[in-house]
Amino acid sequence: MTSSEKRSSKQSERTKNNFKQAFISLVHAKGFSHVSVTDIVKKADYNRTTFYLYYQDKYCLSDELKAQMYQQIKDTSMNKYEKGKSVTTGTMNSGSFELTHFIYANQPFFNLYIIEDTIPSLHRDLPQAIYEVLKEHFQLVSVNQDRDINYDAHKLYMAHGTAGLLVDWIEKEYPISPNDMAERLIHILESFAKEFKVTSRG
């Protein structure tokens, strides 16, 4: 890629990000169903022609935003771990769990989870992303070593439980710090998993 192409690519990403931030702000202000393309371009300070260079409509913008954040949730959940490593849950600390920090740093997006008229199907994404990380990348060892906790239903239960606690934290306006929230989730993990092995990376 030439330097001019890189500049163009960076400018495109910056423009798209401005549209996304405007869109998030508008969903907070008036609800998803009431946001129009006109609202978005006005809020982002662009024209409709520029918007249509990147998106067909607000649903396309919404889908790209969700897909971007979905992948970042998965990537953030894996940042601290290397393939083949085993981690004892009792040695984990708040720095071992970056997802709470990612959520806290991206409050405008994650606060969309508690809006009634929010982005369609948004509520499925957080538990599904956590489930995919557990299923695709981690092999868990139970505190009771005779018990298998790696089957899909168990990991799905873990994912929905974790997502539920995170959404409750968001809903209550982050009453504890990201570090404290991470420690709380690790404490729960310790109650049933002795350790886990990283079976693959991203």
CSV table of all heavy atoms in Angstrom, one decimal, residues 125-167:
chain,number,residue,atom,x,y,z
A,125,ASP,N,-25.0,-10.0,21.4
A,125,ASP,CA,-23.6,-10.0,21.0
A,125,ASP,C,-22.7,-10.2,22.2
A,125,ASP,O,-21.7,-11.0,22.0
A,125,ASP,CB,-23.3,-8.6,20.4
A,125,ASP,CG,-23.9,-8.5,19.0
A,125,ASP,OD1,-24.5,-9.4,18.5
A,125,ASP,OD2,-23.7,-7.4,18.4
A,126,LEU,N,-22.9,-9.6,23.3
A,126,LEU,CA,-21.9,-9.8,24.4
A,126,LEU,C,-21.8,-11.2,24.9
A,126,LEU,O,-20.7,-11.8,25.0
A,126,LEU,CB,-22.3,-8.8,25.6
A,126,LEU,CG,-21.3,-8.8,26.8
A,126,LEU,CD1,-19.9,-8.4,26.3
A,126,LEU,CD2,-21.8,-7.8,27.8
A,127,PRO,N,-23.0,-11.9,25.3
A,127,PRO,CA,-22.8,-13.3,25.7
A,127,PRO,C,-22.3,-14.2,24.6
A,127,PRO,O,-21.5,-15.1,24.8
A,127,PRO,CB,-24.3,-13.7,26.1
A,127,PRO,CG,-25.1,-12.7,25.5
A,127,PRO,CD,-24.3,-11.4,25.4
A,128,GLN,N,-22.7,-13.9,23.3
A,128,GLN,CA,-22.2,-14.8,22.2
A,128,GLN,C,-20.7,-14.6,22.0
A,128,GLN,O,-20.0,-15.6,21.7
A,128,GLN,CB,-23.0,-14.4,20.9
A,128,GLN,CG,-22.7,-15.3,19.7
A,128,GLN,CD,-23.0,-16.8,19.9
A,128,GLN,OE1,-23.9,-17.1,20.7
A,128,GLN,NE2,-22.3,-17.6,19.2
A,129,ALA,N,-20.2,-13.4,22.1
A,129,ALA,CA,-18.8,-13.2,21.9
A,129,ALA,C,-18.0,-13.9,23.0
A,129,ALA,O,-17.0,-14.6,22.7
A,129,ALA,CB,-18.5,-11.7,21.9
A,130,ILE,N,-18.5,-13.8,24.3
A,130,ILE,CA,-17.8,-14.5,25.4
A,130,ILE,C,-17.9,-16.0,25.2
A,130,ILE,O,-16.9,-16.7,25.4
A,130,ILE,CB,-18.4,-14.0,26.7
A,130,ILE,CG1,-18.2,-12.5,27.0
A,130,ILE,CG2,-17.8,-14.8,27.9
A,130,ILE,CD1,-19.0,-12.0,28.1
A,131,TYR,N,-19.0,-16.5,24.8
A,131,TYR,CA,-19.2,-17.9,24.5
A,131,TYR,C,-18.2,-18.4,23.5
A,131,TYR,O,-17.6,-19.5,23.6
A,131,TYR,CB,-20.6,-18.2,24.1
A,131,TYR,CG,-20.8,-19.6,23.6
A,131,TYR,CD1,-20.7,-20.7,24.4
A,131,TYR,CD2,-21.1,-19.8,22.2
A,131,TYR,CE1,-20.9,-22.0,23.9
A,131,TYR,CE2,-21.3,-21.1,21.7
A,131,TYR,CZ,-21.2,-22.2,22.6
A,131,TYR,OH,-21.3,-23.4,22.1
A,132,GLU,N,-18.1,-17.7,22.4
A,132,GLU,CA,-17.1,-18.1,21.3
A,132,GLU,C,-15.7,-18.1,21.8
A,132,GLU,O,-14.9,-19.0,21.4
A,132,GLU,CB,-17.3,-17.2,20.1
A,132,GLU,CG,-18.6,-17.4,19.4
A,132,GLU,CD,-18.8,-16.5,18.1
A,132,GLU,OE1,-17.8,-15.9,17.7
A,132,GLU,OE2,-19.9,-16.5,17.6
A,133,VAL,N,-15.3,-17.2,22.6
A,133,VAL,CA,-14.0,-17.2,23.2
A,133,VAL,C,-13.8,-18.4,24.1
A,133,VAL,O,-12.8,-19.1,23.9
A,133,VAL,CB,-13.7,-15.9,24.1
A,133,VAL,CG1,-12.4,-16.0,24.9
A,133,VAL,CG2,-13.6,-14.7,23.2
A,134,LEU,N,-14.7,-18.7,24.9
A,134,LEU,CA,-14.6,-19.9,25.8
A,134,LEU,C,-14.6,-21.2,25.0
A,134,LEU,O,-13.8,-22.1,25.2
A,134,LEU,CB,-15.8,-20.0,26.7
A,134,LEU,CG,-15.9,-18.9,27.9
A,134,LEU,CD1,-17.2,-18.9,28.6
A,134,LEU,CD2,-14.7,-19.1,28.8
A,135,LYS,N,-15.4,-21.3,24.0
A,135,LYS,CA,-15.5,-22.5,23.1
A,135,LYS,C,-14.3,-22.7,22.3
A,135,LYS,O,-13.8,-23.8,22.1
A,135,LYS,CB,-16.8,-22.4,22.3
A,135,LYS,CG,-17.0,-23.7,21.5
A,135,LYS,CD,-18.3,-23.6,20.6
A,135,LYS,CE,-18.5,-24.9,19.8
A,135,LYS,NZ,-19.7,-24.8,19.0
A,136,GLU,N,-13.8,-21.6,21.7
A,136,GLU,CA,-12.8,-21.7,20.7
A,136,GLU,C,-11.4,-21.7,21.2
A,136,GLU,O,-10.4,-22.2,20.6
A,136,GLU,CB,-12.9,-20.6,19.6
A,136,GLU,CG,-14.2,-20.6,18.8
A,136,GLU,CD,-14.5,-19.3,18.1
A,136,GLU,OE1,-13.6,-18.4,18.1
A,136,GLU,OE2,-15.6,-19.2,17.5
A,137,HIS,N,-11.2,-21.1,22.4
A,137,HIS,CA,-9.8,-20.8,22.9
A,137,HIS,C,-9.4,-21.4,24.2
A,137,HIS,O,-8.2,-21.4,24.6
A,137,HIS,CB,-9.6,-19.3,22.9
A,137,HIS,CG,-9.8,-18.7,21.6
A,137,HIS,ND1,-9.1,-18.9,20.4
A,137,HIS,CD2,-10.8,-17.7,21.2
A,137,HIS,CE1,-9.6,-18.2,19.4
A,137,HIS,NE2,-10.6,-17.5,19.9
A,138,PHE,N,-10.4,-21.9,25.0
A,138,PHE,CA,-10.1,-22.3,26.4
A,138,PHE,C,-10.5,-23.7,26.7
A,138,PHE,O,-11.7,-24.1,26.4
A,138,PHE,CB,-10.7,-21.3,27.4
A,138,PHE,CG,-10.1,-19.9,27.4
A,138,PHE,CD1,-10.9,-18.8,27.1
A,138,PHE,CD2,-8.8,-19.7,27.7
A,138,PHE,CE1,-10.3,-17.5,27.0
A,138,PHE,CE2,-8.2,-18.4,27.6
A,138,PHE,CZ,-9.0,-17.4,27.3
A,139,GLN,N,-9.7,-24.4,27.4
A,139,GLN,CA,-10.0,-25.7,28.0
A,139,GLN,C,-10.0,-25.6,29.5
A,139,GLN,O,-8.9,-25.2,30.1
A,139,GLN,CB,-9.0,-26.8,27.5
A,139,GLN,CG,-9.3,-28.2,27.9
A,139,GLN,CD,-10.4,-28.9,27.1
A,139,GLN,OE1,-10.7,-28.4,26.0
A,139,GLN,NE2,-10.9,-30.0,27.6
A,140,LEU,N,-11.1,-25.8,30.1
A,140,LEU,CA,-11.2,-25.5,31.6
A,140,LEU,C,-11.0,-26.8,32.4
A,140,LEU,O,-11.4,-27.9,32.0
A,140,LEU,CB,-12.6,-25.0,31.9
A,140,LEU,CG,-13.0,-23.6,31.2
A,140,LEU,CD1,-14.5,-23.4,31.3
A,140,LEU,CD2,-12.1,-22.5,31.7
A,141,VAL,N,-10.4,-26.6,33.5
A,141,VAL,CA,-10.2,-27.7,34.5
A,141,VAL,C,-11.0,-27.4,35.7
A,141,VAL,O,-10.8,-26.4,36.4
A,141,VAL,CB,-8.7,-27.9,34.9
A,141,VAL,CG1,-8.6,-29.1,35.9
A,141,VAL,CG2,-7.9,-28.2,33.6
A,142,SER,N,-12.0,-28.3,36.1
A,142,SER,CA,-12.9,-28.1,37.2
A,142,SER,C,-12.1,-28.2,38.5
A,142,SER,O,-11.1,-28.9,38.6
A,142,SER,CB,-14.0,-29.1,37.1
A,142,SER,OG,-14.8,-29.0,38.3
A,143,VAL,N,-12.7,-27.5,39.5
A,143,VAL,CA,-12.1,-27.7,40.9
A,143,VAL,C,-12.3,-29.1,41.3
A,143,VAL,O,-11.6,-29.6,42.1
A,143,VAL,CB,-12.7,-26.7,41.9
A,143,VAL,CG1,-12.3,-25.3,41.6
A,143,VAL,CG2,-14.3,-26.7,41.9
A,144,ASN,N,-13.4,-29.7,40.8
A,144,ASN,CA,-13.7,-31.1,41.0
A,144,ASN,C,-13.2,-31.8,39.8
A,144,ASN,O,-13.9,-31.8,38.8
A,144,ASN,CB,-15.2,-31.4,41.3
A,144,ASN,CG,-15.5,-32.8,41.4
A,144,ASN,OD1,-14.6,-33.7,41.2
A,144,ASN,ND2,-16.7,-33.1,41.7
A,145,GLN,N,-12.0,-32.3,39.8
A,145,GLN,CA,-11.4,-32.8,38.5
A,145,GLN,C,-12.1,-34.0,37.9
A,145,GLN,O,-11.8,-34.3,36.7
A,145,GLN,CB,-9.9,-33.1,38.8
A,145,GLN,CG,-9.1,-31.9,39.2
A,145,GLN,CD,-7.6,-32.2,39.2
A,145,GLN,OE1,-7.1,-33.1,38.5
A,145,GLN,NE2,-6.9,-31.4,40.0
A,146,ASP,N,-13.0,-34.6,38.6
A,146,ASP,CA,-13.8,-35.7,37.9
A,146,ASP,C,-14.9,-35.1,37.1
A,146,ASP,O,-15.6,-35.9,36.4
A,146,ASP,CB,-14.4,-36.6,39.0
A,146,ASP,CG,-13.3,-37.3,39.8
A,146,ASP,OD1,-12.2,-37.6,39.2
A,146,ASP,OD2,-13.5,-37.6,41.0
A,147,ARG,N,-15.2,-33.8,37.1
A,147,ARG,CA,-16.3,-33.2,36.4
A,147,ARG,C,-15.8,-32.5,35.2
A,147,ARG,O,-15.0,-31.6,35.3
A,147,ARG,CB,-17.1,-32.3,37.4
A,147,ARG,CG,-18.3,-31.7,36.8
A,147,ARG,CD,-19.1,-31.0,37.8
A,147,ARG,NE,-19.6,-31.9,38.8
A,147,ARG,CZ,-20.3,-31.6,39.9
A,147,ARG,NH1,-20.5,-30.3,40.1
A,147,ARG,NH2,-20.8,-32.5,40.7
A,148,ASP,N,-16.5,-32.8,34.1
A,148,ASP,CA,-16.1,-32.0,32.8
A,148,ASP,C,-17.0,-30.8,32.7
A,148,ASP,O,-18.2,-30.8,32.8
A,148,ASP,CB,-16.5,-32.9,31.6
A,148,ASP,CG,-16.2,-32.3,30.3
A,148,ASP,OD1,-15.5,-31.2,30.3
A,148,ASP,OD2,-16.7,-32.7,29.2
A,149,ILE,N,-16.3,-29.6,32.6
A,149,ILE,CA,-17.0,-28.4,32.5
A,149,ILE,C,-16.7,-27.7,31.1
A,149,ILE,O,-16.9,-26.5,31.0
A,149,ILE,CB,-16.7,-27.4,33.6
A,149,ILE,CG1,-15.2,-27.1,33.7
A,149,ILE,CG2,-17.2,-27.9,34.9
A,149,ILE,CD1,-14.8,-26.0,34.7
A,150,ASN,N,-16.4,-28.5,30.1
A,150,ASN,CA,-16.1,-28.0,28.8
A,150,ASN,C,-17.1,-28.2,27.7
A,150,ASN,O,-16.9,-27.9,26.6
A,150,ASN,CB,-14.7,-28.6,28.3
A,150,ASN,CG,-13.6,-28.0,29.1
A,150,ASN,OD1,-13.2,-26.8,28.9
A,150,ASN,ND2,-13.0,-28.7,30.0
A,151,TYR,N,-18.2,-28.8,28.1
A,151,TYR,CA,-19.3,-29.0,27.1
A,151,TYR,C,-20.0,-27.7,26.8
A,151,TYR,O,-19.9,-26.7,27.6
A,151,TYR,CB,-20.2,-30.1,27.6
A,151,TYR,CG,-20.9,-29.9,28.9
A,151,TYR,CD1,-22.1,-29.2,29.1
A,151,TYR,CD2,-20.2,-30.4,30.1
A,151,TYR,CE1,-22.6,-29.1,30.3
A,151,TYR,CE2,-20.8,-30.2,31.3
A,151,TYR,CZ,-22.0,-29.6,31.4
A,151,TYR,OH,-22.6,-29.4,32.7
A,152,ASP,N,-20.6,-27.6,25.6
A,152,ASP,CA,-21.1,-26.4,25.1
A,152,ASP,C,-22.1,-25.7,26.1
A,152,ASP,O,-22.1,-24.5,26.3
A,152,ASP,CB,-21.8,-26.6,23.8
A,152,ASP,CG,-20.8,-26.8,22.7
A,152,ASP,OD1,-19.6,-26.6,22.9
A,152,ASP,OD2,-21.2,-27.0,21.5
A,153,ALA,N,-23.0,-26.5,26.7
A,153,ALA,CA,-24.1,-25.9,27.5
A,153,ALA,C,-23.4,-25.2,28.8
A,153,ALA,O,-23.9,-24.2,29.2
A,153,ALA,CB,-25.0,-27.0,28.0
A,154,HIS,N,-22.4,-25.8,29.3
A,154,HIS,CA,-21.7,-25.2,30.5
A,154,HIS,C,-21.1,-23.9,30.1
A,154,HIS,O,-21.2,-22.9,30.8
A,154,HIS,CB,-20.7,-26.1,31.1
A,154,HIS,CG,-20.2,-25.7,32.4
A,154,HIS,ND1,-20.7,-26.2,33.6
A,154,HIS,CD2,-19.3,-24.8,32.8
A,154,HIS,CE1,-20.1,-25.6,34.6
A,154,HIS,NE2,-19.2,-24.8,34.2
A,155,LYS,N,-20.4,-23.9,28.9
A,155,LYS,CA,-19.7,-22.6,28.5
A,155,LYS,C,-20.8,-21.6,28.1
A,155,LYS,O,-20.5,-20.4,28.3
A,155,LYS,CB,-18.8,-22.9,27.3
A,155,LYS,CG,-17.5,-23.7,27.8
A,155,LYS,CD,-16.5,-23.9,26.7
A,155,LYS,CE,-15.2,-24.5,27.3
A,155,LYS,NZ,-14.2,-24.8,26.2
A,156,LEU,N,-21.9,-22.0,27.6
A,156,LEU,CA,-22.9,-21.1,27.2
A,156,LEU,C,-23.5,-20.4,28.5
A,156,LEU,O,-23.8,-19.2,28.6
A,156,LEU,CB,-24.0,-21.8,26.5
A,156,LEU,CG,-25.1,-20.9,25.8
A,156,LEU,CD1,-24.4,-20.0,24.7
A,156,LEU,CD2,-26.1,-21.8,25.1
A,157,TYR,N,-23.7,-21.3,29.5
A,157,TYR,CA,-24.1,-20.8,30.8
A,157,TYR,C,-23.2,-19.8,31.4
A,157,TYR,O,-23.5,-18.7,31.9
A,157,TYR,CB,-24.3,-22.0,31.8
A,157,TYR,CG,-24.8,-21.7,33.2
A,157,TYR,CD1,-26.2,-21.5,33.4
A,157,TYR,CD2,-23.9,-21.6,34.2
A,157,TYR,CE1,-26.6,-21.2,34.7
A,157,TYR,CE2,-24.3,-21.3,35.5
A,157,TYR,CZ,-25.7,-21.1,35.7
A,157,TYR,OH,-26.1,-20.8,37.0
A,158,MET,N,-21.9,-20.1,31.4
A,158,MET,CA,-20.8,-19.2,31.9
A,158,MET,C,-20.9,-17.9,31.1
A,158,MET,O,-20.7,-16.8,31.7
A,158,MET,CB,-19.4,-19.9,31.7
A,158,MET,CG,-19.1,-21.0,32.6
A,158,MET,SD,-17.6,-21.8,32.1
A,158,MET,CE,-16.4,-20.4,32.3
A,159,ALA,N,-21.0,-18.0,29.8
A,159,ALA,CA,-21.0,-16.7,29.0
A,159,ALA,C,-22.2,-15.8,29.3
A,159,ALA,O,-22.0,-14.6,29.5
A,159,ALA,CB,-21.0,-17.1,27.5
A,160,HIS,N,-23.4,-16.4,29.5
A,160,HIS,CA,-24.5,-15.6,29.8
A,160,HIS,C,-24.5,-15.1,31.2
A,160,HIS,O,-24.9,-13.9,31.4
A,160,HIS,CB,-25.8,-16.4,29.5
A,160,HIS,CG,-26.2,-16.5,28.1
A,160,HIS,ND1,-27.1,-15.5,27.5
A,160,HIS,CD2,-25.9,-17.3,27.1
A,160,HIS,CE1,-27.2,-15.8,26.2
A,160,HIS,NE2,-26.5,-16.8,25.9
A,161,GLY,N,-23.9,-15.9,32.1
A,161,GLY,CA,-23.8,-15.4,33.5
A,161,GLY,C,-22.8,-14.2,33.5
A,161,GLY,O,-23.1,-13.2,34.2
A,162,THR,N,-21.7,-14.3,32.9
A,162,THR,CA,-20.7,-13.2,32.8
A,162,THR,C,-21.3,-12.0,32.2
A,162,THR,O,-21.1,-10.9,32.7
A,162,THR,CB,-19.4,-13.7,32.1
A,162,THR,OG1,-18.9,-14.9,32.7
A,162,THR,CG2,-18.4,-12.6,32.0
A,163,ALA,N,-21.9,-12.2,31.0
A,163,ALA,CA,-22.6,-11.0,30.4
A,163,ALA,C,-23.6,-10.4,31.2
A,163,ALA,O,-23.7,-9.1,31.3
A,163,ALA,CB,-23.2,-11.5,29.0
A,164,GLY,N,-24.4,-11.2,31.9
A,164,GLY,CA,-25.4,-10.7,32.8
A,164,GLY,C,-24.8,-9.8,33.9
A,164,GLY,O,-25.4,-8.7,34.2
A,165,LEU,N,-23.7,-10.2,34.5
A,165,LEU,CA,-23.1,-9.4,35.6
A,165,LEU,C,-22.5,-8.1,35.0
A,165,LEU,O,-22.6,-7.1,35.6
A,165,LEU,CB,-22.0,-10.2,36.2
A,165,LEU,CG,-22.4,-11.4,37.1
A,165,LEU,CD1,-21.3,-12.3,37.5
A,165,LEU,CD2,-23.1,-10.8,38.4
A,166,LEU,N,-22.0,-8.2,33.8
A,166,LEU,CA,-21.4,-7.0,33.1
A,166,LEU,C,-22.5,-6.0,32.8
A,166,LEU,O,-22.3,-4.8,33.0
A,166,LEU,CB,-20.6,-7.4,31.9
A,166,LEU,CG,-19.3,-8.1,32.1
A,166,LEU,CD1,-18.7,-8.7,30.8
A,166,LEU,CD2,-18.3,-7.2,32.8
A,167,VAL,N,-23.6,-6.5,32.3
A,167,VAL,CA,-24.7,-5.6,32.0
A,167,VAL,C,-25.3,-5.0,33.2
A,167,VAL,O,-25.7,-3.8,33.2
A,167,VAL,CB,-25.8,-6.3,31.1
A,167,VAL,CG1,-27.1,-5.4,31.0
A,167,VAL,CG2,-25.3,-6.7,29.7
